[in-house]
Amino acid sequence: MDVSCPERVILEHVTSRWGVLVLCELLDGAELRFSALRRAIGIVSEKMLTQTLRTLERDGFVLRRALPVIPPHVTYSLTPLGLEAAARVHALSVWTADAAPAVLSARTAYDAAHPSPS
Amino acid sequence: MDVSCPERVILEHVTSRWGVLVLCELLDGAELRFSALRRAIGIVSEKMLTQTLRTLERDGFVLRRALPVIPPHVTYSLTPLGLEAAARVHALSVWTADAAPAVLSARTAYDAAHPSPS
DNA sequence: CTGTATCCATGATGATACTG
DNA sequence: CAGTATCATCATGGATACAG
């Protein structure tokens, strides 16, 4: 990741593999626990989810609230800044979903025009 | 990359490290040659630029025009679909640039509150 | 429950040399 | 000029075990 360009790094964070999913899950203002978030996303390792949440928290997009009880009770939600980010990422995500049919047919056309040497 | 989710793959393509830069360079409707594109982006290996352009071309975002002359003359530009994608990616990129100051200060606050064990 | 630490597989990226 | 081929390197992601 190009460290010389701060905005690029931020962009990578919010559009990262798991970053997109975390933001979209929290977009509705929900305050989810670690395990709930993990189940909602689907298949994601603890390590990756933790790493993604740390990054987004450090960037000021995600708010982490830990209740000092045993067993631990931690919830994650979006900050106002995170809500803005999530809304935009979600919009882009929706657009790609809309564009998917066009992309798929473009791929079919491309593959037809560029046959792999068999 | 999760193959089971087509739209996610498309999102990865347009928000990829070099994909973002290619789309932004071509956003103004320019029709750039391979070497011009490479210089405009800055530091990118031939391999990565080629790979990125192939992916975007296959997805129907980029149009490749090769003139059958020697030496080869190839130009790249955006398709209408690619223009839409580029506009949205660029908008997100601009937003992250705007949000950068807030993110940077959030990081400072986070690092102050979470000192690394020294 | 919510993580952290470790090791390992995989893929992305890059440098270099070469071709039509 | 515009790539392709190859190899080396490095970051990313995941499985597992374990700690507070």
Side-chain angles (χ1 to χ4, degrees), chain B residues 1 17-18 43-48 51 72:
Chain B
M1 196 180 302
R17 186 165 184 173
W18 307 116
I43 299 176
V44 56
S45 66
E46 297 174 353
K47 179 183 168 183
M48 281 302 105
Q51 197 173 103

Side-chain angles (χ1 to χ4, degrees), chain A residues 1 17-18 45-48 51 72:
Chain A
M1 195 180 303
R17 187 166 185 173
W18 306 117
S45 66
E46 298 173 352
K47 177 184 167 183
M48 282 301 106
Q51 197 173 103

Side-chain angles (χ1 to χ4, degrees), chain B residues 98-110:
Chain B
D98 290 349
V103 170
L104 265 346
S105 74
R107 282 188 195 157
T108 303
Y110 181 93

Side-chain angles (χ1 to χ4, degrees), chain A residues 36 41 54 62 74 76 83 99:
Chain A
I41 288 178
R54 284 283 173 283
V62 160
V74 181
Y76 295 91
L83 186 62

